[in-house]
């Protein structure tokens, strides 16, 4: 070990300079410092990296919308689409295993909740079907869209499903807009997600991928907050770790945020069959659905009302939606921070989609669904041994975390008269300790929000 000796006076000077530098650094990063217990590993070196410094907020461009070119005219970011191929699962086709693989197939289904063995036999860069509306090929998007950090939270995820998600994002995103992919490991236990993962990410192909590891199990909501803090792109895009993005998915998702930075944009979700990994539409062709809610905080979807549809000049344009399912969406990172991220008092998962939707609308923003942005997602077929909540399930002495989360959201964002609608549906929630919501109420006062009633009656919620 090399030892450097200094005279006492020189040491004193160095100490003084160090104190001054540290003071400046603390002031600079006080709003974007790393949460406790969070480690970032650089994609190239595998060494611990410092947290992000201050950023300049993306600005809105009012009135600057995508331009529809007309039928038969190819948009500026439209790729050459390849939908042929004979290999397993190509073009989103189903894949069947051999009879002698049945025992291993069933074993892995129990571990992951979907047919991991089928996934493992499909290319990480398979072709996918183009299920967009015909109009989607005819849009020109602004060429200076904000940059995106795509955030994937995972816990004990299968190797091929995780890396197929990463590969699809890298391969189907314009490189000038894809700033990075942020993998947030919520303290996985499986061996392949430790050193093997770090070694794989050192490959040049994954130069834009960085890995963040939670030192303790946090749950989906808090892990996503950690990912957003670690991100350095102008927009954060949240996806689940078992998705495949479709062709030209990113520019349509970024364009509404480019026009108005207080927009939350949601892609249309297609389904990846959990058993054979075929890709099929979830929604009927030509239909428009949007997220809504009922007073017991059950997420639902309904058909876009005619009065909302009439606001669009083209069927493929984004449209307003009260809420979203929560798994897949994009939001300006600085706006997300101004909104207080997700409420850090929400644990594991559940209610975060409502909390963010209410905040966005009540703070003067909007939420839109984007028909020309398509992302396929695997919905698990049954319970799985690898995706347990662990000790988090008993964090509040048997109180269901989801119901506790709902109460925090209701008590923060609902007007008094609307709170009663919820408690009528969920009377047990009256007795639950929801924890301290003083910071959330402080945000509500600081932002001078519109009343829930006014936003609800205007039809936004």
């Amino acid at each position: 070990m090399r030892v450097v000796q200094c005279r006492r006076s020189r040491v004193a000077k160095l100490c003084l300079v160090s104190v001054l530098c540290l003071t400046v650094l603390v002031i600079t990063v006080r709003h974007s410092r790393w949460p406790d217990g969070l480690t970032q590993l650089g994609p190239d070196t595998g060494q611990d990296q410092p947290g992000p410094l201050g950023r300049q907020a993306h600005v809105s461009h009012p009135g600057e919308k995508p331009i529809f070119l007309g039928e038969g005219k190819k948009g500026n970011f439209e790729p050459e689409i390849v939908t042929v191929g004979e290999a397993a699962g190509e073009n989103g086709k189903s894949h069947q295993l051999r009879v002698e693989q049945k025992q291993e197939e069933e074993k892995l289904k129990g571990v992951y909740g979907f047919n991991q063995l089928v996934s493992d036999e499909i290319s990480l860069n398979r072709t996918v079907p183009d299920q967009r509306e015909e109009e989607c090929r005819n849009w020109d998007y602004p060429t200076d869209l904000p940059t995106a950090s795509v955030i994937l939270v995972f816990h004990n995820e299968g190797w091929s499903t995780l890396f197929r998600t990463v590969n699809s994002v890298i391969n189907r995103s314009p490189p000038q807009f894809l700033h990075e992919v942020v993998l947030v490991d919520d303290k996985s236990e499986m061996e392949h997600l430790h050193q093997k993962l770090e070694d794989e990410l050192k490959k040049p192909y994954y130069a834009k991928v960085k890995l963040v590891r939670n030192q303790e199990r946090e749950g989906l909501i808090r892990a996503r907050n950690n990912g957003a803090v670690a991100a350095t792109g102008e927009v954060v895009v949240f996806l689940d770790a078992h998705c495949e993005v479709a062709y030209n998915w990113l520019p349509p998702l970024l364009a509404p945020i480019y026009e108005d930075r207080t927009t939350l944009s949601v892609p249309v979700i297609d389904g990846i069959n959990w058993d054979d990994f075929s890709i099929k539409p979830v929604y009927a062709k030509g239909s428009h659905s949007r997220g809504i809610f009922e007073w017991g905080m059950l997420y639902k979807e309904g058909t876009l009302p005619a009065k909302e549809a009439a606001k669009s000049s083209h069927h493929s344009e984004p449209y307003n939606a009260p809420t979203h399912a929560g798994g897949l969406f994009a939001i300006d990172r600085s706006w997300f921070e101004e909104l207080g991220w997700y409420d850090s008092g929400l644990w594991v998962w559940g209610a975060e989609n409502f909390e963010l939707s209410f905040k966005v609308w009540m703070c003067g923003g909007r939420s839109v669904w984007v028909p020309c942005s398509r992302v396929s997602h695997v919905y698990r077929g049954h319970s799985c041994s690898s995706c347990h909540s662990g000790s988090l399930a008993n964090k509040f002495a048997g109180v269901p975390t989801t119901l506790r989360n709902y109460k925090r959201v209701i008590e923060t964002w609902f007007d008094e008269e609307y709170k009663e609608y919820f408690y009528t549906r969920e009377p047990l929630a009256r007795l639950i300790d929801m924890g301290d919501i003083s910071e959330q109420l402080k945000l509500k006062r600081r932002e001078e929000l519109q009343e829930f009633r006014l936003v609800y009656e205007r039809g936004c919620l």
Side-chain angles (χ1 to χ4, degrees), residues 391-404 428 432:
S391 60
L392 293 181
N394 298 315
K395 184 173 181 62
F396 302 106
V399 173
T401 53
T402 302
L403 189 58
R404 181 182 181 276
L428 178 63
I432 287 178

Side-chain angles (χ1 to χ4, degrees), residues 15 40 63 68 84 86 90 115 128 142 183 186-187 197 202 210 227 239 242 244 277 353 367 379 397 417 423 439:
C15 289
Q40 177 190 339
F68 185 70
V84 296
E86 299 301 323
E90 288 299 311
N115 201 329
V128 296
L183 301 182
D186 193 21
K187 202 169 176 58
L197 174 60
K202 293 175 184 177
K210 68 183 179 187
L239 302 178
H242 31 266
E244 294 176 62
F277 274 68
N353 56 325
S367 172
Y379 295 95
E417 60 181 298
Y423 288 122
E439 287 299 315

Side-chain angles (χ1 to χ4, degrees), residues 138-311:
N138 310 130
W139 287 97
D140 262 2
Y141 295 96
T143 56
D144 56 340
L145 294 170
T147 59
S149 295
V150 178
I151 299 173
L152 312 176
V153 172
F154 66 93
H155 173 74
N156 291 341
E157 186 68 39
W159 183 270
S160 61
T161 47
L162 175 62
F163 273 93
R164 192 174 299 110
T165 307
V166 173
N167 275 254
S168 74
V169 169
I170 292 173
N171 293 334
R172 299 197 186 105
S173 304
Q176 65 268 41
F177 303 139
L178 180 61
H179 179 70
E180 63 188 351
V181 178
V182 182
L183 301 182
V184 183
D185 173 24
D186 193 21
K187 202 169 176 58
S188 294
E189 300 140 350
M190 292 188 162
E191 189 62 32
H192 65 268
L193 298 172
H194 296 159
Q195 190 59 49
K196 180 182 177 181
L197 174 60
E198 294 178 18
D199 291 342
E200 182 71 13
L201 294 179
K202 293 175 184 177
K203 295 178 179 179
Y205 177 78
Y206 298 113
K208 285 190 175 183
V209 182
K210 68 183 179 187
L211 175 63
V212 174
R213 293 198 188 272
N214 292 342
Q215 297 306 300
E216 300 295 335
R217 186 75 190 279
E218 299 269 10
L220 175 66
I221 301 170
R222 293 165 63 90
R224 283 188 161 187
N225 275 352
N226 291 345
V229 171
T232 54
E234 294 168 298
V235 170
V236 288
V237 181
F238 292 101
L239 302 178
D240 284 344
H242 31 266
C243 290
E244 294 176 62
V245 301
Y247 303 103
N248 201 21
W249 74 289
L250 189 55
L253 201 63
L254 296 177
I257 300 171
Y258 174 83
E259 182 186 8
D260 179 357
R261 65 179 290 268
T262 65
T263 299
L264 181 152
S265 59
V266 181
V268 172
I269 302 174
D270 295 315
I272 303 175
N273 183 279
W274 72 274
D275 197 18
D276 63 19
F277 274 68
S278 59
I279 299 177
K280 300 287 175 59
V282 171
Y283 306 99
K285 187 174 182 179
S287 67
H288 281 340
S289 297
R290 62 179 193 164
I292 56 178
F293 68 96
E294 53 91 66
W295 297 115
M297 293 294 99
L298 178 65
Y299 174 76
K300 294 181 177 180
E301 291 181 0
T303 302
L304 182 69
K307 67 177 182 178
E308 285 293 330
K311 296 177 182 178

Side-chain angles (χ1 to χ4, degrees), residues 5-6 19 46 60 73 140 144 227 240 272 300 333 336 374 397 406 424 438:
Q5 294 181 331
C6 298
V19 169
S60 300
K73 297 181 180 179
D140 262 2
D144 56 340
D240 284 344
I272 303 175
K300 294 181 177 180
R333 187 197 174 279
F336 191 29
R374 307 284 289 236
Y406 287 154
T424 298
S438 59

Side-chain angles (χ1 to χ4, degrees), residues 322-381:
T323 186
H324 61 287
L328 288 63
F329 68 93
I331 189 170
D332 179 275
R333 187 197 174 279
S334 295
W335 170 239
F336 191 29
E337 183 177 14
E338 289 166 32
L339 294 174
W341 316 106
Y342 284 123
D343 170 11
S344 61
L346 301 177
W347 279 88
V348 191
W349 66 271
E352 76 278 7
N353 56 325
F354 297 134
E355 191 236 2
L356 188 54
S357 297
F358 299 158
K359 281 200 290 195
V360 165
W361 281 111
M362 293 171 68
C363 290
R366 61 172 183 155
S367 172
V368 300
W369 282 30
V370 185
C372 290
S373 180
R374 307 284 289 236
V375 179
S376 300
H377 175 269
V378 183
Y379 295 95
R380 299 185 195 275

